[in-house]
Amino acid sequence: MLAKRIIPCLDVKDGNVVKGIQFNQHRIVGDIIERANYYSDAGADELVFYDITASCEQRTVDANWIKEVARCLNIPFCVAGGIKNAFDAEKILNAGADKISINSPALECPDLINELSEKFGKQCIVIGIDSFKKENNYYVYQYTGAQEKIKNTERLTFDWIKEVEARGAGEIVLNCMNQDGVRQGYDCDQLRLARKKSTLPLIASGGAGCEDDFYTVFKKTNCDGALAASVFHSNQINIKNLKLFLSNKNILVRS
Amino acid sequence: MIAIIEGCGTNIASIQFALERLGKKSLLTSDAKIIRSASHVILPGVGTAKNAMTQLQKLAALIPQLTQPVLGICLGMQLFYEFSEEGKIETLKIISGKISSFKKNTSLPIPHMGWNQLEIKQPNPLLKNIPDNSYFYYVHSYSAPVNENTIAVTKYGKPFSAIVNNKNFYGVQFHPERSGKTGEQLLKNFLELA
């Protein structure tokens, strides 16, 4: 059986892992390689490195640290942030990343998804979606890495999910912004609706506050994995203990 | 010397790094002479069967004739079969059967992505110190049928071949280079084959 994935997300800014406390305030939590090894040893199933400023500052992720991460990690990892074309994507994949995650550039140019999928295969094309609930509808937001640039694209989240699947995406990370950083639990209602719109692997993001939130999201939404940052970085949740907790509640996780 | 056959996708760096962690040097090459004289050959593969077969070109005739241990990883393993539905293309014909899409057999999310378990069907040197039900990391939308060459299966909807072996050809559907300590053990086992 396929295990549910526990995925720490490491927000990267200027060579350090940071964590945003809603939108734009960040604090440094450690060096990239040291954190990567730490989470791999702790039993993380996969890591996501998200360059939070690259999308907004018109630059690409630096391939050097990606190579160093690939050299030391023996679990899969995904790189996100500022990948705007096939050239950027190839550089990152060749450096050893298993997947690339695209958010704002896919909204600017949806054809990019088709191009990358045809060139590299859908298995490495992850689409990140920042979704915000407003007046009973879910909308896709763009440029969420910088408060002054953040905007509502007016695209409906579930339409966008269907579109990215049709264009050749291989996985969706749905970041439910209303929950992000506030540790009140994942947005199970939204994730359950999203699950019905697509047959792609779906990763829940935004809102993890305690071990029980992971149990709830796996139990209620049938998502494939759950991503979190602050609860892991602050050591509030230890991944080994979390997996034991889930396993005792009959959620299948890799031991 | 370990030869990694060039031109079959983008996961080359992670395979080379995995070998490096085991203290082994490898060479990425499409040179038939080097490949023929290597102690071990790895056929990686990320991408589509059609692209890979186009890239392989003249090596497609050489690969089935190799006599040293050859390890096909993911798409590399799928190329060992006769035919792939992905792009409707004839492949290397080292193992009988054809590769087909998961889509026809399951309503589960596709690609099959993440950590899944092995069910060992036959003892094999590749599985030394790897217990039954071990987890490995998979990413694929097409899968290989179970046949007499199947060493281990994995279930996703229905069982598919996770490890195959015919003579000196070994294939794994998962990514040992990304499968933690168990993946490392499997690569080590492969490199110990003579």
Side-chain angles (χ1 to χ4, degrees):
Chain A
M1 286 274 288
L2 186 64
K4 299 292 184 187
R5 282 178 269 160
I6 303 296
I7 308 171
C9 177
L10 292 77
D11 289 353
V12 175
K13 195 180 184 181
D14 304 324
N16 273 295
V17 174
V18 298
K19 174 55 196 168
I21 313 151
Q22 273 204 326
F23 308 130
N24 209 23
Q25 301 162 288
H26 299 106
R27 87 198 141 72
I28 292 175
V29 292
D31 169 68
I32 299 173
I33 305 297
E34 185 272 321
R35 288 283 93 187
N37 281 326
Y38 168 79
Y39 285 116
S40 172
D41 292 344
D45 295 304
E46 183 175 326
L47 298 178
V48 174
F49 295 93
Y50 174 37
D51 191 324
I52 50 172
T53 49
S55 269
C56 300
E57 290 178 7
Q58 301 292 315
R59 57 181 176 82
T60 322
V61 179
D62 172 12
N64 289 319
W65 66 259
I66 297 168
K67 210 168 183 172
E68 287 315 303
V69 169
R71 202 184 289 278
C72 72
L73 266 194
N74 60 13
I75 59 168
F77 72 99
C78 176
V79 173
I83 300 157
K84 290 180 196 63
N85 51 48
F87 177 79
D88 296 339
E90 190 162 17
K91 190 171 81 169
I92 291 166
L93 292 168
N94 280 343
D98 300 273
K99 305 187 231 183
I100 46 172
S101 179
I102 304 169
N103 190 328
S104 298
L107 291 160
E108 283 162 16
C109 172
D111 285 342
L112 180 63
I113 304 170
N114 305 60
E115 190 195 347
L116 295 177
S117 180
E118 276 154 34
K119 188 142 195 223
F120 306 111
K122 67 163 59 182
Q123 79 291 331
C124 62
I125 312 300
V126 181
I127 300 298
I129 302 175
D130 288 317
S131 177
F132 195 85
K133 189 179 185 184
K134 219 174 95 181
E135 292 149 11
N136 289 321
N137 273 314
Y138 297 103
Y139 292 96
V140 181
Y141 276 58
Q142 197 172 8
Y143 307 121
T144 54
Q147 201 164 21
E148 65 282 7
K149 290 193 75 178
I150 193 166
K151 71 163 194 183
N152 182 352
T153 63
E154 306 291 336
R155 280 176 190 270
L156 291 168
T157 300
F158 299 138
D159 289 349
W160 181 231
I161 286 177
K162 282 190 260 184
E163 182 174 341
V164 304
E165 175 165 18
R167 285 178 177 277
E171 181 166 75
I172 290 170
V173 175
L174 185 61
N175 183 42
C176 307
M177 292 169 67
N178 307 69
Q179 310 295 113
D180 192 25
V182 294
R183 302 192 183 188
Q184 301 286 310
Y186 290 97
D187 187 341
C188 292
D189 292 338
Q190 185 176 181
L191 287 158
R192 199 159 36 213
L193 292 168
R195 175 72 289 168
K196 288 183 189 153
K197 305 291 173 189
S198 157
T199 59
L200 293 177
L202 176 68
I203 306 300
S205 166
C210 62
E211 288 181 342
D212 212 44
D213 292 338
F214 288 84
Y215 171 71
T216 307
V217 79
F218 289 134
K219 195 74 193 165
K220 285 193 172 168
T221 76
N222 202 20
C223 64
D224 299 280
L227 183 145
S230 61
V231 286
F232 296 137
H233 304 326
S234 65
N235 250 329
Q236 190 191 336
I237 295 181
N238 170 287
I239 294 179
K240 268 197 185 86
N241 296 342
L242 171 62
K243 286 191 155 183
L244 198 61
F245 171 83
L246 291 171
S247 171
N248 285 337
K249 289 188 157 237
N250 292 319
I251 301 289
L252 189 71
V253 287
R254 175 179 70 113
S255 46
Chain B
M1 199 268 307
I2 305 160
I4 302 178
I5 296 179
E6 195 173 14
C8 301
T10 47
N11 69 337
I12 316 298
S14 52
I15 294 173
Q16 288 195 293
F17 290 144
L19 296 172
E20 226 178 83
R21 287 193 293 271
L22 293 169
K24 301 284 183 185
K25 280 225 154 51
S26 57
L27 188 66
L28 184 62
T29 179
S30 55
D31 185 324
K33 225 167 140 183
I34 297 176
I35 293 169
R36 221 179 272 128
S37 64
S39 67
H40 295 78
V41 175
I42 295 179
L43 180 63
V46 164
T48 67
K50 198 168 189 170
N51 280 349
M53 288 307 290
T54 311
Q55 293 286 324
L56 284 176
Q57 289 182 11
K58 9 179 225 254
L59 295 178
L62 167 74
I63 295 168
Q65 295 166 10
L66 293 172
T67 52
Q68 67 274 61
V70 181
L71 180 66
I73 297 177
C74 194
L75 177 63
M77 163 202 174
Q78 296 189 355
L79 296 180
F80 287 169
Y81 281 76
E82 292 171 286
F83 181 84
S84 177
E85 267 185 8
E86 187 185 27
K88 308 235 174 320
I89 190 160
E90 291 195 16
T91 46
L92 299 172
K93 300 185 169 62
I94 293 163
I95 287 173
S96 64
K98 68 171 190 182
I99 302 301
S100 58
S101 168
F102 266 126
K103 271 224 162 86
K104 293 198 297 201
N105 304 320
T106 176
S107 57
L108 294 166
I110 306 294
H112 171 228
M113 191 183 295
W115 297 81
N116 204 332
Q117 287 166 295
L118 277 190
E119 207 177 287
I120 298 172
K121 294 292 178 192
Q122 294 182 45
N124 193 278
L126 207 57
L127 287 166
K128 194 178 87 183
N129 295 329
I130 295 177
D132 205 10
N133 298 317
S134 290
Y135 280 100
F136 287 89
Y137 184 75
Y138 295 79
V139 188
H140 58 129
S141 303
Y142 289 78
S143 69
V146 177
N147 64 18
E148 70 279 7
N149 297 120
T150 303
I151 301 303
V153 300
T154 291
K155 281 190 187 131
Y156 193 61
K158 63 177 199 180
F160 61 86
S161 278
I163 303 180
V164 289
N165 173 216
N166 185 16
K167 294 179 288 190
N168 55 316
F169 293 90
Y170 297 80
V172 293
Q173 179 60 68
F174 47 82
H175 288 274
E177 74 280 12
R178 281 289 177 254
S179 294
K181 292 210 157 50
T182 345
E184 267 169 26
Q185 180 65 46
L186 187 131
L187 285 174
K188 200 164 159 256
N189 293 344
F190 171 70
L191 297 176
E192 281 170 7
L193 296 170

